[in-house]
Amino acid sequence: MAITDRVVLPGGEEVPQLGIGTWMMGERAGSLKEEAESVRTGIELGMRLVDTAEMYGDGKCESFLGEALAGLRDEVFLVSKVYPHNASRAGVVSACERSLSRLKTDRLDLYLLHWRGGVPLEETILGFEHLKSQGKIRHWGVSNFDTDDMEELWETPGGEGCAVNQVLYNLARRGPEWDLLPWLEEHDMPLMAYSPIEQGRIPTDGALAEIAGKHKATPFQVALAWVMRNLNNIVIPKASRVAHMRDNRGAADIVLDSEDLASLDLAFAPPSRKRSLEML
Ligand code: NAP
């Protein structure tokens, strides 16, 4: 694995496997400088995919990124998300325009429905496709969709245009491996793993510590490398601190061998039955 590793979207476009999450960034005046430095450092180090949402700080995170990405917009694959309550045909268009204005850009590379709400999927898709035809978004996708939601999406007119499903997936939350990940692989659709180090709470003792020692790495790097073992997965760790961002970049240089993967299976068991998709 290397920072050059790319994940292929339906349609063939390649995107970086290791990106940057931004939830909780841009909300505290005293932290803005370091957060911006951290994001810019990650991009310089090759983590050229940035994930945000209109929900984060009620627009504050997108506004923060509008500043932090100055001069770098064309270097990154930029992802944002629409609230389910804004996801009607017209609502999704207005919400996107507000996001574009906060982000100081004319287009999103990927626009996701943040989670399923009451608006029929068909309407949201019409809104997404309209935005695509106007060049305001390049791809659209979903988030927090379980396998049955994906099936339903697939049966909805236009649903096959979905590019990505962003879900909670990490060593401690392996539920998607039961049927969602296989479904996505069968349909050549990447899984974008959020909270890949369980918001910093992934247990760092035991197997993770041992494997980290063997690779002269940190347990968090090993946890990220584990998600990246599969080239169908994109990973978006968030790091407000520059040192954490640098550490996360190092995950792309770690190749876990079969012995490492077996130890991790013992410490963090794969699912033995269907579990409903978890959300944070
Ligand atoms: P996460 O990336 O698993 O963890 C972030 C936390 O881990 C922060 O407290 C961070 O600290 C710490 N951390 C990061 N790198 C570290 C390292 N190398 N060593 C030690 N600690 C480290 O959690 P997340 O922010 O929930 O998820 C990532 C992104 O996924 C979000 O930011 C967001 O973009 C997206 N997301 C999407 C959804 C959805 O519903 N679609 C839900 C949740 C998250 P510092 O910040 O202090 O550096």
Side-chain angles (χ1 to χ4, degrees):
M1 234 173 284
I3 196 69
T4 49
D5 275 351
R6 317 281 285 179
V7 171
V8 183
L9 299 182
E13 182 171 335
E14 295 187 1
V15 299
Q17 187 179 27
L18 176 60
I20 297 172
T22 62
W23 189 16
M24 316 271 198
M25 284 193 193
E27 296 184 27
R28 281 155 294 132
S31 310
L32 296 182
K33 200 161 164 260
E34 176 158 32
E35 288 167 355
E37 195 189 337
S38 183
V39 169
R40 294 177 72 89
T41 300
I43 293 167
E44 276 161 26
L45 293 174
M47 299 162 73
R48 296 179 176 228
L49 181 150
V50 177
D51 177 77
T52 186
E54 64 172 336
M55 187 194 94
Y56 301 165
D58 268 329
K60 287 202 182 78
C61 184
E62 289 181 327
S63 300
F64 154 77
L65 285 174
E67 302 294 328
L69 296 179
L72 293 175
R73 168 64 190 95
D74 293 340
E75 309 296 317
V76 299
F77 187 91
L78 187 56
V79 185
S80 193
K81 312 184 198 79
V82 59
Y83 268 125
H85 63 254
N86 283 339
S88 64
R89 189 189 182 290
V92 82
V93 173
S94 316
C96 181
E97 282 165 355
R98 291 193 295 272
S99 287
L100 291 175
S101 153
R102 286 188 291 260
L103 285 159
K104 295 194 167 67
T105 185
D106 59 354
R107 80 225 174 261
L108 293 172
D109 296 293
L110 176 64
Y111 198 33
L112 306 177
L113 173 61
H114 208 148
W115 64 90
R116 272 199 85 166
V119 176
L121 291 174
E122 194 167 351
E123 264 206 54
T124 307
I125 295 169
L126 285 172
F128 281 154
E129 289 296 339
H130 180 68
L131 286 166
K132 246 176 117 167
S133 70
Q134 291 187 313
K136 291 181 178 167
I137 65 171
R138 297 182 51 248
H139 304 277
W140 65 264
V142 294
S143 178
N144 297 300
F145 270 44
D146 207 340
T147 316
D148 53 348
D149 300 309
M150 291 309 298
E151 295 281 9
E152 199 180 320
L153 180 67
W154 225 238
E155 283 159 17
T156 306
E160 293 179 16
C162 178
V164 161
N165 185 10
Q166 183 181 117
V167 296
L168 175 60
Y169 180 55
N170 63 45
L171 270 168
R173 312 260 196 172
R174 295 184 62 170
E177 287 171 46
W178 184 255
D179 60 354
L180 180 58
L181 184 54
W183 191 97
L184 295 172
E185 286 174 330
E186 250 170 58
H187 293 80
D188 295 322
M189 192 186 299
L191 178 156
M192 190 178 283
Y194 76 69
S195 307
I197 50 172
E198 189 68 6
Q199 302 195 314
R201 294 189 297 265
I202 199 93
T204 51
D205 52 358
L208 270 183
E210 274 170 39
I211 297 165
K214 173 175 150 187
H215 289 273
K216 298 191 172 37
T218 68
F220 293 103
Q221 288 177 323
V222 174
L224 292 173
W226 177 83
V227 180
M228 294 166 73
R229 76 200 180 289
N230 180 340
L231 257 183
N232 202 61
N233 297 340
I234 298 167
V235 67
I236 48 167
K238 172 254 181 184
S240 297
R241 285 176 255 189
V242 177
H244 286 165
M245 188 66 79
R246 288 188 183 282
D247 195 51
N248 295 343
R249 158 63 186 85
D253 298 326
I254 299 170
V255 181
L256 300 174
D257 60 28
S258 52
E259 193 187 320
D260 300 331
L261 295 176
S263 313
L264 289 170
D265 280 347
L266 280 179
F268 301 92
S272 53
R273 61 180 173 83
K274 170 71 185 168
R275 286 179 188 281
S276 295
L277 188 64
E278 298 171 282
M279 264 183 87
L280 279 184

